[in-house]
């Protein structure tokens, strides 16, 4: 695996205006709180304890605009499209996802998850 070359930016995109926040009228709200106690993930650590709170709200339709229609499909027999798809398949090296997290316990032990 190698680090890809930096992307070339010809011009900065114009800043977009922040949309106004949406005001939701909550019709119903339910909250569930659960206490959690799990065995420690490795020896010598305290158990995992705490609580989880989940809130689900039913809101009135805020009247958002419909999303734009999907773009038209490219013609499957267009030589330019077929050539670009062939090049993409030849150059594609695969995708690797790596998830990393760390928990530090009392500044003396670290549990690293990869």
């Amino acid at each position: 695996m190698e680090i890809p070359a930096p992307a070339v930016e010809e011009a900065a995109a114009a800043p977009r205006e922040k949309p106004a926040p949406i005001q939701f009228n909550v019709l119903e709200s339910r909250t569930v709180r659960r206490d959690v106690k799990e065995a420690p993930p490795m020896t010598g650590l305290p158990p995992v304890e705490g609580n989880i709170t989940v809130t689900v709200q039913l809101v009135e339709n805020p009247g958002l605009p419909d999303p734009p229609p999907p773009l038209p499909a490219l013609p499957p027999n267009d030589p330019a499209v077929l050539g670009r798809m062939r090049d993409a398949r030849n150059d594609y090296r695969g995708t690797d996802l790596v998830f990393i997290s760390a928990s530090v316990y009392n500044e003396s032990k670290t549990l690293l998850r990869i």
Side-chain angles (χ1 to χ4, degrees):
M1 186 185 313
E2 62 187 44
I3 298 175
V8 177
E9 254 187 61
E10 294 189 17
R16 292 174 46 173
E17 287 184 35
K18 279 191 168 184
I22 301 168
Q23 298 298 320
F24 292 103
N25 183 20
V26 178
L27 301 175
E28 182 183 336
S29 184
R30 289 182 293 179
T31 300
V32 176
R33 175 176 260 157
R34 298 237 167 119
D35 291 326
V36 176
K37 185 170 184 177
E38 298 177 359
M42 66 187 212
T43 58
L45 296 178
V48 177
E49 295 183 80
N51 56 41
I52 298 172
T53 304
V54 178
T55 302
V56 178
Q57 294 180 324
L58 175 66
V59 298
E60 187 177 325
N61 182 352
L64 298 175
D66 290 333
L71 295 172
L74 294 172
N77 56 357
D78 183 344
V81 172
L82 293 174
R84 289 188 69 185
M85 288 175 61
R86 184 177 50 253
D87 293 344
R89 270 194 304 274
N90 292 338
D91 295 340
Y92 180 69
R93 295 186 185 145
T95 301
D96 294 323
L97 296 176
V98 179
F99 298 94
I100 300 175
S101 69
S103 300
V104 179
Y105 297 90
N106 297 331
E107 297 180 13
S108 64
K109 292 187 178 188
T110 301
L111 175 62
L112 183 64
R113 295 176 192 94
I114 301 175

